[in-house]
Amino acid sequence: MVRFLLVLLILVLPELALASGFESLKLTGTERGIYTVIIFVIAYGFVMAEEFTGMKKSKPVILAAGIIWAHAAVLATSAGVTTEALHEAFEYNLKEYAELMLFLLVAMTYINAMAERNVFEALRSWMVRKQFGYRKLFWITGIITFFLSSVADNLTSALLVGAVVLAVGSDNEKFVSVSFVNLVIAANAGGAFCPFGDITTLMVWQAGYAEFFDFFKLFIPSVVNFLVPAAFMYFAVPDEHPVASNEAAVVMKPGAIQVCVLFFLTIASAVSFKQFLHLPPFMGMMVGMSVLMLYGFRITTLYRADENNQFDIFNQVRDAEWDTLLFFFGVVFAVGGLGYIGYLELLSAAMYDGLGFTTANILVGIISAIVDNIPVMFAVLNMSLDMDLYQWLLVTLTAGVGGSMLSIGSAAGVALMGQSQHKYTFFSHLKWTPVIAAGYAASIFTHYLVNG
């Protein structure tokens, strides 16, 4: 927390000039400039307090983004900047958001479609009926979450598998608590080595700093990040069996397997658009979504008389995580506005010029345990850093897994605290922070050994 406050202090110091994607105003020392930083800090305070206030995180950051850009426009006018130059800076952020939002919307729609077809519920039912022991379930749920989060986001993966943990261990608080910590680590680690697994990884890929298959070089470091703390926590899991369950098997709805296949073909389409056609990957995702829409129409036609098996794609679009998508809008424009005023240049000078690439990138992961990794990574991407592939993969890894050190450091942790019925809390996670930090350090060292 002290380091985070030091970063904020740096933001209000007189300006330091560095090159960026577009010419910044370099007006960080002005009263209006400092005011925008205060607005951002206040808004993010509300984001961090979401668990206690109940106010969705998108609301304060969207308001902050509007206020910040209003002040940026006034500062630009007072500095004699042309309207065209102001629009260029603004539209840069709009382009960044539009590409990522459309990509994520398709991914979320597919995940919702698979959930609606009972794919995940059938998996949960199967695991409950197998009557595995708690220790075996600890590993099974962790490994499933690790790989599931490489194609779904960490929030969805943790919640889906968390439902399994609660279903089989509702009468054993210790098992639920330790398993939920394991799920948070697994979800964050699994999302780090694939562009589809985490928003920050997706941002690095779409920005062109690494190719799609480059991220798989992080697979072994991600595995280490998951296994090191899991090996310690395993001995805290009760060596017992859950109470026998008589739950009936859940049957998947018609078209469930086909929807899963279409999702993986959509991923292949996105990769192909990027790798071979040199077009933004969201276009490949939109093509995949159109195929899902057509297949959904076929399901509806075949089961017109059976309302339970009909499929409406727009219900899945409606149920996308709109709070997350709009939060991302607020973050992109708020951070982008601060960058236009000149604050990202200050941050870049303080961290990367002052500490060096490796130390700064490790610090990014530590900061992301306190602050959401999305604004942190967006800030890094907009610093116009001249880093090689090794360093871009390092910051992708640290930003992805650093949030595991605290329960509030990632969406997965926050969501599981709400789902756990008070069996998993901030402090039950905190007592495992030392071994999670050991996994964080081990993954960085493994990245050095494997990719350095």
Side-chain angles (χ1 to χ4, degrees):
M1 191 64 181
V2 173
R3 290 179 178 177
F4 177 55
L5 293 174
L6 287 175
V7 171
L8 295 180
L9 180 62
I10 291 167
L11 293 178
V12 298
L13 295 175
E15 54 267 33
L16 298 169
L18 289 175
S20 61
F22 49 81
E23 189 67 25
S24 69
L25 299 176
K26 300 180 178 63
L27 295 174
T28 55
T30 63
E31 185 176 334
R32 282 188 184 274
I34 295 172
Y35 178 67
T36 59
V37 175
I38 295 173
I39 289 295
F40 181 75
V41 172
I42 292 173
Y44 219 85
F46 280 104
V47 171
M48 296 175 71
E50 179 186 6
E51 180 189 358
F52 308 102
T53 64
M55 183 170 66
K56 298 293 186 182
K57 60 183 178 291
S58 58
K59 298 176 181 180
V61 290
I62 292 175
L63 177 60
I67 294 173
I68 289 170
W69 269 102
H71 282 277
V74 173
L75 286 170
T77 302
S78 65
V81 175
T82 63
T83 302
E84 290 75 14
L86 174 63
H87 284 184
E88 180 185 350
F90 186 84
E91 288 168 4
Y92 169 81
N93 293 282
L94 181 61
K95 173 180 174 292
E96 290 289 307
Y97 174 70
E99 290 186 6
L100 288 162
M101 180 265 189
L102 290 172
F103 188 105
L104 291 170
L105 180 62
V106 176
M108 290 175 178
T109 301
Y110 261 101
I111 294 298
N112 289 341
M114 287 188 281
E116 189 274 338
R117 294 285 99 181
N118 286 344
V119 173
F120 302 117
E121 188 63 17
L123 174 63
R124 184 200 64 79
S125 173
W126 176 80
M127 291 184 65
V128 169
R129 289 182 291 106
K130 292 297 288 185
Q131 296 298 304
F132 295 115
Y134 285 133
R135 289 192 165 184
K136 186 173 288 187
L137 278 168
F138 174 83
W139 285 114
I140 292 173
T141 54
I143 291 169
I144 288 176
T145 303
F146 180 86
F147 286 102
L148 182 61
S149 66
S150 67
V151 291
D153 63 277
N154 60 2
L155 172 63
T156 302
S157 304
L159 285 176
L160 289 171
V161 185
V164 177
V165 171
L166 278 178
V168 298
S170 57
D171 59 340
N172 195 310
E173 184 172 333
K174 189 174 183 179
F175 167 70
V176 173
S177 176
V178 177
S179 292
F180 272 25
V181 178
N182 190 44
L183 295 188
V184 172
I185 299 167
N188 291 332
F193 71 88
C194 178
F196 292 85
D198 192 274
I199 294 176
T200 53
T201 315
L202 174 63
M203 290 163 71
V204 176
W205 179 41
Q206 292 210 144
Y209 290 111
E211 298 297 331
F212 180 81
F213 294 103
D214 287 335
F215 291 99
F216 290 94
K217 295 177 180 178
L218 293 176
F219 176 74
I220 295 176
S222 297
V223 170
V224 169
N225 182 268
F226 163 57
L227 289 181
V228 169
F232 284 96
M233 291 188 294
Y234 170 77
F235 296 101
V237 179
D239 190 10
E240 304 168 7
H241 280 73
V243 178
S245 172
N246 296 320
E247 179 178 319
V250 173
V251 179
M252 290 189 290
K253 293 183 179 180
I257 300 300
Q258 289 85 338
V259 170
C260 294
V261 172
L262 287 178
F263 181 47
F264 286 102
L265 291 177
T266 298
I267 293 174
S269 173
V271 175
S272 299
F273 267 71
K274 174 74 170 177
Q275 299 294 120
F276 305 118
L277 301 178
H278 309 293
L279 291 171
F282 81 86
M283 197 66 221
M285 294 294 286
M286 293 301 290
V287 170
M289 186 171 182
S290 69
V291 176
L292 178 62
M293 295 170 80
L294 294 171
Y295 183 68
F297 177 76
R298 181 175 184 275
I299 293 176
T300 300
T301 303
L302 289 174
Y303 296 93
R304 194 178 300 278
D306 185 357
E307 289 188 4
N308 291 328
N309 286 322
Q310 288 186 9
F311 182 85
D312 186 349
I313 183 66
F314 293 105
N315 287 340
Q316 317 316 317
V317 174
R318 179 198 63 198
D319 293 337
E321 296 169 34
W322 284 100
D323 179 50
T324 298
L325 293 173
L326 293 175
F327 167 71
F328 193 57
F329 168 86
V331 164
V332 167
F333 279 89
V335 174
L338 293 174
Y340 183 52
I341 294 171
Y343 285 110
L344 294 186
E345 295 176 1
L346 286 179
L347 197 55
S348 177
M351 289 181 60
Y352 285 91
D353 288 359
L355 301 175
F357 289 145
T358 300
T359 304
N361 286 333
I362 293 173
L363 182 59
V364 164
I366 296 172
I367 293 173
S368 70
I370 306 166
V371 184
D372 193 277
N373 59 1
I374 295 174
V376 175
M377 180 58 83
F378 188 73
V380 170
L381 290 172
N382 283 276
M383 289 177 186
S384 300
L385 300 170
D386 185 20
M387 296 195 299
D388 59 18
L389 178 62
Y390 171 82
Q391 292 292 345
W392 280 113
L393 290 179
L394 174 61
V395 74
T396 300
L397 175 68
T398 58
V401 304
S404 299
M405 286 186 275
L406 295 175
S407 63
I408 61 170
S410 67
V414 173
L416 286 179
M417 281 194 292
Q419 186 188 42
S420 70
Q421 301 164 3
H422 306 292
K423 294 182 177 70
Y424 166 68
T425 65
F426 175 84
F427 291 103
S428 68
H429 188 109
L430 187 64
K431 72 178 184 181
W432 292 107
T433 293
V435 298
I436 299 171
Y440 180 73
S443 65
I444 294 171
F445 183 61
T446 304
H447 174 53
Y448 170 75
L449 293 178
V450 175
N451 302 313

